[in-house]
Amino acid sequence: MGDIEVVTGELRTAAGKMGVAADSVGAVRPGAVVARISEAMPQSESASKARRCSTMWTRRLEDWVTAADAQKTRLQDSAETYDGADAAAHARMLRMVRVQ
Amino acid sequence: MTSIATVLSWKPDQLSGVVDDLIACRRTLVDLQDELDDGAPPPSWISAAAALARPAHQALGDRLADAVAEISSVLTAVDTESQSLVLAHRQLDDAVAHARSSGFSVDTATGDVVDTRSNDMTEAEADDRQAQCNEIVDRIEQALRNAVSADTQMAAVLDAAATGLDGGGHDLSDACASQGASDLLPPPEGGAADQNAWWNGLTEAEQLAVIADEPRWVGNTDGIPAWARDQANRNLIDDYRSELQVEADRLQQNLDDNLFGGTFTNDDARLEEVKNKLKALDEIEDTLAKGDRQLLLLDPYGGEQLHAAVANGNVDTADHVAAFTPGLTSTVQDSLANYDANMNDLQARSQDESDRYGDGGSVATVTWIGYDAPQLDSELLNPNRSVASDDLAVAGADDLNAFYNGIDASREVDPHLTALGHSYGSLTTGLALQSQNGVDDMVIFGSPGLGTSHLGDIDVPQDHSFRIEAKWDPVADAGAFGIDPSHMDGMTGLSAKDVDLGSQHYDASGGHSEYLNGDTTSQHNMAAVISGNSDRLVFDGGQGAGDILSWPVPGTY
């Protein structure tokens, strides 16, 4: 009983932290910033590389946010599964006591 | 090829905003370290799902660290290269503006520079305009190279960041460690103007990094400011000493291991040469220890002798600069101390002339021993290194010419530059001055000839070539390399006799080696030329018996 309470609490805390991280990363836009190099240096080699960098950074951070959200969900689901299993075990215990 | 117009269309000042915003992005990500740590699957969680969640969390940390590293590398590169781009942009802007204000048109698409004042010029004027045009082209090309170099380096970092960098784990602060810092490119091929433009294209931090990490790039590079050459060369003294000592030990070992010593090898002569170079380094350090010196040249490998040039005063800021080239038997190890003392004295005399009678401008003098001067030893028998041959002077003349041009190119405002040449050194000086240079006055003394019989071959302004000949100096009458300079049309004779000038008495100098002595008329005349005080000159157009003997036969030269 006690062990399950600890695990579910820790899982929910971890899920919450991953949610914060995902939201924060989702709000950061380095891709948009680096794209401004192409405006400052038209027809330069850096301009084309900056556009590519912008695309790749944006895509990678979006992927990161998606993965972080999935991790958050995984942690939350596990916590709920633990709670569900605990409740089922408790019900089984009660039935056993009544039969005796 | 990137055009002038393209580079001028760049707005590198906008890049600082990019850097600031990338720093803010990075800070946001790095600040997530606590969330990342606290978001890790708890150790008490043991299940099949936990086994999957742990590596997934590890991967998230690694990927975020990668992102931080990529942002760090880009912002570092943009920060560094934007400074280079601002400088290059300014250099290009200035060069184009300077060209146009000087009567040259610049095609910003093709880079063509055309003189719009090319009519009705004498040959000499045309040469000067061509030299000016070449310098403008050099400056434009170097500014373009600087801009393209910065662009290329920044592009490479952007490319690497787009492909993906390894942040080295999931510690976000560690991932901030500078990545992708640009490698400095060495100086380009080309003349002093190219070198100067390259140098000015570096940020201050890059300049200091070059001096500390790559001093050989700049120590002897004409066109680099004197302060930088001085610091770089001082940094190199211990390195050169170590290298030479290793070579000396190796040669000594060879001799010790060889039953016949140096009889059948050249090791004993080489060892003597290396020992002399080590002694020269000691001599240089002793000279620098006197203070207010700049080590403008230090080259242990350019000849059989170590080459060096030491300035008294500040060549970067002096209004009047004089560079002295000594002659026969001169070496750094045996002559620098004496010549440096002479130049120190001459600097003081010239400064006094400037302060009391001239423009009050500051003075710097330089002892330039940048070539193998002939020696009175076994070299006398070597036709390529004998004092009777001009070979050594020819070999040194190009370097001396580059040194003169480098002084001008290294400064925003050219100094009043005087070339001094003694004995065989006056031949080296005369040969060096036969190519375009920035020298305003020439003083030769005890000269066996200038490598020409015609002053028109010497690229120094008319009426600014002076010779001094002391009594009982046979070398000055030798006329061994071209006619005796005393007989050259347009050469002005200055006195080396006893003279009273106002209340001041100056002594005569006699023989071949007293021209630079203190309180002599010859020294005074040099100081008057160096300080630009033509009304303080003591003339002597007369000729002695030696000059009569050396009178050239008309039509033979």
Side-chain angles (χ1 to χ4, degrees):
Chain A
M1 283 283 288
D3 286 348
I4 286 175
E5 281 174 11
V6 170
V7 169
T8 57
E10 287 177 346
L11 285 171
R12 287 201 171 86
T13 300
K17 294 294 182 182
M18 288 312 293
V20 171
D23 291 345
S24 298
V25 171
V28 174
R29 300 272 189 276
V33 176
V34 84
R36 281 159 38 202
I37 292 173
S38 60
E39 296 160 20
M41 297 180 62
Q43 295 180 278
S44 68
E45 192 182 348
S46 294
S48 61
K49 301 297 185 188
R51 283 190 288 273
R52 175 167 174 261
C53 190
S54 172
T55 303
M56 299 304 291
W57 279 3
T58 301
R59 186 182 302 163
R60 287 207 285 265
L61 284 187
E62 285 173 355
D63 288 349
W64 194 93
V65 171
T66 301
D69 279 336
Q71 182 78 342
K72 170 189 165 188
T73 301
R74 194 176 291 131
L75 292 164
Q76 282 177 331
D77 287 352
S78 290
E80 284 164 15
T81 301
Y82 268 112
D83 283 348
D86 184 41
H90 183 64
R92 278 196 302 276
M93 289 293 289
L94 284 175
R95 279 197 300 275
M96 287 171 68
V97 168
R98 285 190 194 111
V99 169
Q100 287 171 354
Chain B
M1 179 64 186
T2 306
S3 71
I4 298 170
T6 297
V7 173
L8 289 179
S9 76
W10 293 351
K11 298 172 280 292
D13 49 317
Q14 292 184 1
L15 295 175
S16 61
V18 171
V19 172
D20 291 343
D21 290 350
L22 286 178
I23 288 172
C25 289
R26 184 179 66 174
R27 186 180 306 122
T28 300
L29 297 183
V30 171
D31 286 349
L32 292 173
Q33 183 71 61
D34 287 345
E35 280 72 18
L36 207 59
D37 292 344
D38 294 343
S44 55
W45 181 30
I46 300 167
S47 70
L52 292 174
R54 288 200 175 87
H57 183 82
Q58 178 75 34
L60 280 169
D62 290 348
R63 285 163 62 190
L64 202 58
D66 293 347
V68 168
E70 288 157 15
I71 293 171
S72 291
S73 72
V74 168
L75 77 85
T76 300
V78 174
D79 189 31
T80 302
E81 303 310 335
S82 67
Q83 295 174 54
S84 299
L85 285 164
V86 166
L87 286 169
H89 195 278
R90 189 183 306 149
Q91 283 178 323
L92 193 57
D93 218 14
D94 289 349
V96 171
H98 171 66
R100 288 174 174 157
S101 67
S102 304
F104 295 92
S105 69
V106 179
D107 187 324
T108 58
T110 65
D112 291 341
V113 178
V114 176
D115 190 353
T116 58
R117 298 180 192 164
S118 55
N119 296 327
D120 301 327
M121 282 192 285
T122 65
E123 193 178 336
E125 287 170 339
D127 287 346
D128 284 346
R129 291 290 288 175
Q130 187 57 51
Q132 198 178 355
C133 181
N134 292 343
E135 186 177 330
I136 288 168
V137 170
D138 282 349
R139 287 187 182 278
I140 288 174
E141 287 178 348
Q142 186 56 45
L144 282 174
R145 276 197 291 271
N146 290 343
V148 170
S149 167
D151 176 33
T152 302
Q153 298 202 44
M154 194 158 73
V157 173
L158 284 164
D159 198 36
T163 302
L165 293 176
D166 182 0
H170 59 277
D171 188 305
L172 302 179
S173 294
D174 287 351
C176 283
S178 178
Q179 295 212 24
S182 62
D183 292 328
L184 291 170
L185 293 176
E189 296 292 321
D194 289 307
Q195 311 303 329
N196 182 255
W198 165 78
W199 179 257
N200 286 332
L202 301 178
T203 64
E204 187 178 340
E206 288 173 334
Q207 290 176 348
L208 295 176
V210 167
I211 290 169
D213 301 333
E214 303 288 353
R216 292 177 208 229
W217 286 1
V218 294
N220 300 333
T221 303
D222 298 307
I224 303 299
W227 71 266
R229 294 177 69 157
D230 176 50
Q231 286 188 21
N233 284 327
R234 286 176 193 249
N235 286 348
L236 284 166
I237 291 175
D238 286 344
D239 291 352
Y240 286 145
R241 181 178 283 111
S242 298
E243 292 167 11
L244 291 170
Q245 191 58 58
V246 167
E247 177 66 357
D249 293 344
R250 185 188 71 80
L251 292 165
Q252 186 62 61
Q253 190 66 48
N254 285 355
L255 291 169
D256 292 346
D257 292 347
N258 192 328
L259 187 62
F260 301 102
T263 307
F264 299 110
T265 71
N266 203 31
D267 286 348
D268 50 350
R270 278 281 301 137
L271 180 59
E272 186 63 24
E273 189 181 308
V274 173
K275 283 181 174 176
N276 280 334
K277 290 178 177 179
L278 285 164
K279 191 176 164 199
L281 288 177
D282 294 340
E283 201 64 37
I284 287 169
E285 285 201 312
D286 289 347
T287 302
L288 296 177
K290 293 173 182 170
D292 196 26
R293 303 293 197 278
Q294 291 177 323
L295 184 54
L296 303 181
L297 172 66
L298 179 63
D299 181 7
Y301 306 119
E304 294 187 14
Q305 302 284 348
L306 181 143
H307 298 167
V310 178
N312 304 74
N314 189 338
V315 171
D316 287 329
T317 58
D319 300 292
H320 305 279
V321 176
F324 165 58
T325 306
L328 182 65
T329 72
S330 299
T331 63
V332 173
Q333 64 271 19
D334 293 327
S335 316
L336 179 62
N338 190 39
Y339 285 136
D340 175 76
N342 289 150
M343 287 303 108
N344 197 46
D345 199 16
L346 185 60
Q347 181 206 17
R349 294 285 176 171
S350 304
Q351 188 65 63
D352 187 51
E353 284 289 319
S354 175
D355 291 341
R356 294 173 63 184
Y357 307 104
D359 59 9
S362 56
V363 177
T365 52
V366 183
T367 303
W368 187 86
I369 311 179
Y371 77 123
D372 282 0
Q375 303 297 308
L376 291 176
D377 53 18
S378 58
E379 289 193 349
L380 271 175
L381 303 174
N382 182 342
N384 297 322
R385 297 182 65 83
S386 162
V387 68
S389 160
D390 67 357
D391 285 1
L392 291 174
V394 169
D398 283 349
D399 289 341
L400 182 55
N401 174 270
F403 185 76
Y404 295 142
N405 281 320
I407 290 174
D408 276 356
S410 67
R411 299 172 39 137
E412 282 191 26
V413 179
D414 293 351
H416 167 232
L417 182 58
T418 301
L420 306 173
H422 176 231
S423 187
Y424 192 88
S426 71
L427 171 61
T428 311
T429 303
L431 291 168
L433 295 178
Q434 289 177 40
S435 299
Q436 191 272 328
N437 62 80
V439 171
D440 303 293
D441 282 289
M442 172 184 77
V443 183
I444 47 126
F445 41 106
S447 174
L450 301 179
T452 177
S453 298
H454 307 282
L455 206 53
D457 293 336
I458 304 290
D459 184 28
V460 170
Q462 195 173 359
D463 301 327
H464 287 262
S465 293
F466 305 94
R467 59 98 185 149
I468 308 177
E469 178 179 333
K471 198 171 185 181
W472 308 120
D473 181 0
V475 176
D477 292 321
F481 306 102
I483 63 170
D484 178 348
S486 300
H487 302 304
M488 293 176 104
D489 287 339
M491 180 70 79
T492 302
L494 299 178
S495 177
K497 296 175 180 170
D498 273 311
V499 164
D500 287 314
L501 193 61
S503 60
Q504 179 71 41
H505 176 79
Y506 294 104
D507 297 330
S509 33
H512 187 58
S513 304
E514 294 184 356
Y515 293 98
L516 289 165
N517 284 6
D519 297 323
T520 59
T521 306
S522 52
Q523 186 206 43
H524 160 77
N525 272 323
M526 289 181 217
V529 172
I530 291 167
S531 59
N533 288 324
S534 56
D535 55 344
R536 292 276 296 162
L537 293 172
V538 182
F539 297 100
D540 181 8
Q543 278 142 353
D547 293 308
I548 294 169
L549 291 173
S550 68
W551 210 290
V553 178
T556 61
Y557 63 94

